[in-house]
Amino acid sequence: MPMTEDNLIQTFQLEQSNLRGRILRLGSVIDDLLRRHDYPAQVLQLTGEAAMMALMLSSMLKYEGIFTLQIQGDGPVDMVVADITDHGNIRACARYKKDAEIPEVSNPMLLMGKGYLAFTVDQGPDTDKYQGIVALSGKTLQDSIQHYFSQSEQITTGLRYLLARGDDGHWRAGGIMLQRLPEAKGENRGEAHEDDWCRAMVLLQSCTDQELLDPALSQNDLLFRLFHEEGVRAFDPVPVRDQCRCSAERAENILRMVSAAERADMTIEGKLVVTCEFCNRAYGFDAEALEQKIAGSGPQQPQE
Ligand SMILES: [Zn+2]
């Protein structure tokens, strides 16, 4: 099977200006992920953008486990979550007030109101969770991400991304991120450092919407087109997959964590159903058999 150019994230280096960047193109992965959800258009947009940002941010870290980006707010959409395993398996979902009207806004982030953006890296039970957190600032998700990096890491970040539904009804996404690290001690390039950044940003901003999403334009060709004067060097691309981590065992554990009375309330025609919020897969259980099983096994620790 020929290597597809879609659903890849790739690190690149600009040799002239000594800047690091990431490029992301998503086709079937983002389309499958979003089509599974029955959300209003603007909530889908937010969910997709969060997934893109999570992919960009997770690719900057070396980890074994799960990277989670969570946005929480007090608006009509109160939560958006995207998480990625170190194997590139991504999933994402949103929570919104079903009875509230989702207003038409120029930018879907306005639907989240005031709140924060947080990311964690969970590497297993006995390891520290790395966490970054920033108040939602400015109007766009991009503003909040840039604010986070400048505040907590002193990294200046340039971003250009787009998520859109094509004429064929399918979603596509493309994004490029450039980052400037603070100058190392003893390194005092001053104005040259600033010039390098400005030049690279002009090139980044010259990328058109069409180029970001064009399935016929490969990631490498796009990088070369934008940055060839800077001596662009691309590293091996990493594939991204649309893959949830839910299972019957996890669904059963959720049911074990609630009381027998709550389970009885949830039972319809002798059946208990747990639906995964990320992928909408439904797990059905026979209520009576489950109660017997729980009574027989005693309390069990939930497993993550
Ligand atoms: Zn699932």
Side-chain angles (χ1 to χ4, degrees):
M1 216 172 80
M3 178 83 169
T4 163
E5 296 286 354
D6 262 339
N7 307 318
L8 298 173
I9 187 157
Q10 194 168 10
T11 301
F12 63 90
Q13 171 90 19
L14 303 184
E15 302 294 359
Q16 286 293 326
S17 41
N18 196 26
L19 294 167
R20 222 1 116 87
R22 271 154 195 85
I23 182 167
L24 168 71
R25 309 291 273 315
L26 299 175
S28 60
V29 163
I30 198 74
D31 191 52
D32 291 344
L33 189 155
L34 293 178
R35 274 164 178 277
R36 204 172 288 128
H37 294 299
D38 182 22
Y39 301 159
Q42 306 216 71
V43 182
L44 279 180
Q45 186 79 28
L46 259 181
T47 308
E49 287 186 11
M52 290 178 77
M53 287 303 129
L55 280 166
M56 294 264 204
L57 298 182
S58 69
S59 76
M60 296 171 63
L61 302 167
K62 277 213 177 353
Y63 65 98
E64 278 178 33
I66 296 147
F67 176 98
T68 304
L69 173 76
Q70 183 165 338
I71 312 169
Q72 216 140 17
D74 62 2
V77 181
D78 53 13
M79 195 172 76
V80 180
V81 185
D83 71 29
I84 298 143
T85 69
D86 52 292
H87 289 98
N89 296 342
I90 186 163
R91 59 182 196 171
C93 68
R95 201 174 61 196
Y96 58 100
K97 298 184 176 97
K98 298 261 158 47
D99 43 358
E101 201 168 307
I102 302 291
E104 277 290 320
V105 285
S106 56
N107 165 3
M109 271 303 275
L110 296 172
L111 298 171
M112 303 230 47
K114 288 198 188 66
Y116 64 87
L117 178 153
F119 57 88
T120 50
V121 181
D122 189 344
Q123 306 202 78
D126 299 319
T127 54
D128 287 337
K129 276 191 179 183
Y130 176 74
Q131 180 152 30
I133 188 158
V134 65
L136 296 183
S137 61
K139 289 197 178 109
T140 64
L141 183 54
Q142 175 166 347
D143 291 337
S144 294
I145 301 278
Q146 286 170 325
H147 183 63
Y148 169 76
F149 280 112
S150 65
Q151 290 283 300
S152 61
E153 316 255 345
Q154 278 86 53
I155 299 174
T156 314
T157 305
L159 260 174
R160 172 97 177 80
Y161 66 89
L162 188 65
L163 166 72
R165 209 166 190 160
D167 295 335
D168 59 0
H170 291 285
W171 290 92
R172 288 194 61 80
I176 304 173
M177 179 167 79
L178 269 179
Q179 291 196 306
R180 177 171 70 162
L181 301 174
E183 277 191 285
K185 266 213 174 96
E187 187 192 21
N188 195 8
R189 298 180 57 239
E191 267 179 39
H193 194 58
E194 187 63 32
D195 286 351
D196 284 342
W197 176 250
C198 292
R199 208 173 57 242
M201 285 305 290
V202 168
L203 297 173
L204 173 63
Q205 295 308 333
S206 76
C207 181
T208 65
D209 290 356
Q210 161 75 15
E211 285 171 326
L212 273 179
L213 298 187
D214 186 0
L217 179 63
S218 79
Q219 221 154 262
N220 282 335
D221 287 347
L222 174 55
L223 284 177
F224 186 76
R225 191 185 281 188
L226 292 173
F227 300 116
H228 61 97
E229 288 164 13
E230 296 292 314
V232 58
R233 189 158 63 93
F235 297 85
D236 285 342
V238 179
V240 179
R241 291 176 207 89
D242 164 49
Q243 181 77 54
C244 194
R245 303 196 310 279
C246 61
S247 64
E249 193 188 343
R250 279 167 197 242
E252 187 180 312
N253 279 326
I254 291 169
L255 290 172
R256 283 171 178 272
M257 284 161 70
V258 303
S259 68
E262 283 174 279
R263 282 195 297 271
D265 276 351
M266 291 164 68
T267 302
I268 297 168
E269 290 175 7
K271 278 232 158 213
L272 278 160
V273 176
V274 176
T275 305
C276 174
E277 283 185 61
F278 284 98
C279 70
N280 275 334
R281 189 168 167 183
Y283 294 92
F285 298 89
D286 181 84
E288 213 179 303
L290 184 69
E291 288 309 328
Q292 277 171 11
K293 192 175 172 189
I294 292 174
S297 62
Q300 189 178 327
Q301 286 299 312
Q303 289 167 357
E304 194 15 13

